Amino acid sequence: MSLISYAMRGSLKNFWNKLDKISKETNKSKIVLFNKFFNCFLKIGSGYSDFLNYELYNKTAKEIKEYVTIKDQDKFYEIASPSAYKTFFTIKPNFLKNFQKYITRDFFYNGDIKELEEFLKNNKEFMIKPIDGLGGSGVDKMLTKNIKNIEEFYQKLKDENLFLEGYVIQHKDMNELCSSSVNTIRIMTYGYNNKSEILFAALRVGNGKHPVDNFHKGGMGILIDLETGKLIGNAYDKDLNEFTNHPTTKIKFDGFQIPNWDIVKKTVKEAALINKNIHVVGWDVAITEEGCTFIEGNRRPGFDLVQVLSKRGRKDIMRNVIAKINEEENTNYKI
């Protein structure tokens, strides 16, 4: 996708309507706002959603330059997590095999019908997913009892290249927060030469209406204190709606303690060193009663959740990583 097509992705009419609302809130004309969007596009490659989600219309030129856009991500991840090695992570059955040490559930992909029958026998509920989807697209929860014809279901999996995962039973504290979805932690790590560190962490929690917690599916995000594992401040969804308490369970976000936080940190820092070519990973981690388990690992985790919750541009994360790679490889990469 070209930079221009990315920037203009989405409805111009919808964007113009949202500018109308912002114009009334900020007392700035829509023409002034659109001109600022166009300048953001020229300077940092900002798209419609970037301009709105990061509230760039309220930012100074210096602040805007610190925001990561798709242009920056493309350059950064070819250095930090080259696409030549992407299938280790992006093909989800590959990921489950490569990180099976940290996976506590069954999965079915490309087996025969007897193997499917065995999976369904052992899993009364499960998740159905495309093998390489993004942002929760095509992901749904299913109940085995609702499958009326196993032969037709088997053919659907083959025709649409889908795979099945056993449903994760999350820790009771996470279930009390929101029981309609498995609420996962997004943790970005950097690993190189047997050393690893955590760059960012946030909890993603479902809104009580969907079976997934993804930001792009109505889920909310809340920052996590890296030392204590406690939530910091309020939750935000992709439309920047703010929540002090979960809209369904009414549990307060600020100060909520993530269970098994020390186990989570140890696990992701260890896993960050398994693939020697992929240095930055965005792990989706579910908390269980026994510890934690991986849902998936993202070779090029997006910065939308990171920057919305940080309320500022996070090119500092990229610069930190690039400086370490330059030191290790005696290179002079720049972002």
Side-chain angles (χ1 to χ4, degrees), residues 152-296:
E152 289 182 2
F153 184 63
Y154 178 68
Q155 193 61 45
K156 173 185 172 67
L157 298 179
K158 292 180 65 177
D159 292 345
E160 299 180 25
N161 207 17
L162 303 172
F163 82 105
L164 311 178
E165 282 185 325
Y167 194 70
V168 173
I169 305 302
Q170 64 186 346
H171 192 284
K172 60 180 178 58
D173 291 353
M174 306 303 289
N175 209 49
E176 289 174 3
L177 187 59
C178 180
S179 61
S180 65
S181 62
V182 176
N183 308 300
T184 59
I185 300 167
R186 166 57 63 88
I187 305 185
M188 289 178 66
T189 59
Y190 167 72
Y192 200 111
N193 197 21
N194 296 319
K195 294 179 288 186
S196 61
E197 63 180 289
I198 296 173
L199 304 172
F200 174 85
L203 176 67
R204 303 185 308 182
V205 58
N207 61 8
K209 300 177 182 178
H210 299 284
V212 295
D213 61 358
N214 300 69
F215 216 34
H216 297 272
K217 291 290 183 179
M220 296 164 281
I222 317 97
L223 285 173
I224 297 175
D225 184 291
L226 297 184
E227 291 300 318
T228 66
K230 290 184 178 181
L231 300 187
I232 305 172
N234 298 331
Y236 294 86
D237 65 16
K238 190 166 175 57
D239 293 326
L240 303 184
N241 296 308
E242 184 175 3
F243 304 86
T244 56
N245 299 70
H246 191 279
T248 302
T249 63
K250 308 305 179 186
I251 291 177
K252 185 179 179 181
F253 290 117
D254 188 41
F256 180 90
Q257 178 66 59
I258 303 294
N260 304 329
W261 182 243
D262 287 341
I263 295 175
V264 172
K265 290 196 293 184
K266 180 178 182 296
T267 300
V268 296
K269 290 175 71 174
E270 180 180 298
L273 300 174
I274 287 179
N275 188 302
K276 305 300 182 183
N277 300 299
I278 302 295
H279 304 303
V280 174
V281 180
W283 308 96
D284 292 339
V285 184
I287 308 299
T288 64
E289 294 292 343
E290 297 77 21
C292 67
T293 186
F294 288 157
I295 301 299
E296 64 182 22

Side-chain angles (χ1 to χ4, degrees), residues 18-35:
K18 289 185 177 179
L19 287 189
D20 188 53
K21 179 182 177 182
I22 295 168
S23 175
K24 293 174 182 176
E25 293 173 349
T26 62
N27 202 30
K28 297 176 183 177
S29 77
K30 290 173 71 174
I31 298 301
V32 168
L33 290 170
F34 191 83
N35 284 340

Side-chain angles (χ1 to χ4, degrees), residues 10-121:
S11 167
L12 176 59
K13 181 180 179 181
N14 185 51
F15 179 64
W16 193 250
N17 288 338
K18 289 185 177 179
L19 287 189
D20 188 53
K21 179 182 177 182
I22 295 168
S23 175
K24 293 174 182 176
E25 293 173 349
T26 62
N27 202 30
K28 297 176 183 177
S29 77
K30 290 173 71 174
I31 298 301
V32 168
L33 290 170
F34 191 83
N35 284 340
K36 186 154 189 178
F37 160 72
F38 192 68
N39 285 331
C40 288
F41 165 68
L42 293 176
K43 290 179 179 177
I44 66 171
S46 164
Y48 292 154
S49 60
D50 295 328
F51 188 74
L52 298 172
N53 293 343
Y54 305 146
E55 299 180 309
L56 298 183
Y57 48 85
N58 279 334
K59 308 296 182 183
T60 66
K62 183 177 180 181
E63 290 171 330
I64 288 169
K65 287 181 180 179
E66 288 300 301
Y67 276 86
V68 175
T69 62
I70 195 71
K71 177 180 71 173
D72 304 306
Q73 288 186 193
D74 286 345
K75 181 178 180 181
F76 173 69
Y77 284 124
E78 275 308 302
I79 299 168
S81 299
S83 57
Y85 308 101
K86 66 181 181 180
T87 58
F88 195 88
F89 287 88
T90 58
I91 304 301
K92 292 180 172 61
N94 287 355
F95 174 80
L96 294 173
K97 292 176 183 177
N98 294 332
F99 294 91
Q100 59 185 330
K101 177 181 177 181
Y102 312 103
I103 309 296
T104 61
R105 62 195 179 280
D106 296 335
F107 75 96
F108 171 83
Y109 175 67
N110 207 26
D112 59 37
I113 197 165
K114 288 186 177 180
E115 291 173 309
L116 174 59
E117 290 173 344
E118 185 66 19
F119 175 88
L120 296 176
K121 178 183 176 182

Side-chain angles (χ1 to χ4, degrees), residues 294-311:
F294 288 157
I295 301 299
E296 64 182 22
N298 300 272
R299 177 192 67 88
R300 46 175 297 155
F303 274 74
D304 50 352
L305 178 68
V306 178
Q307 295 181 137
V308 166
L309 296 183
S310 298
K311 296 186 178 181

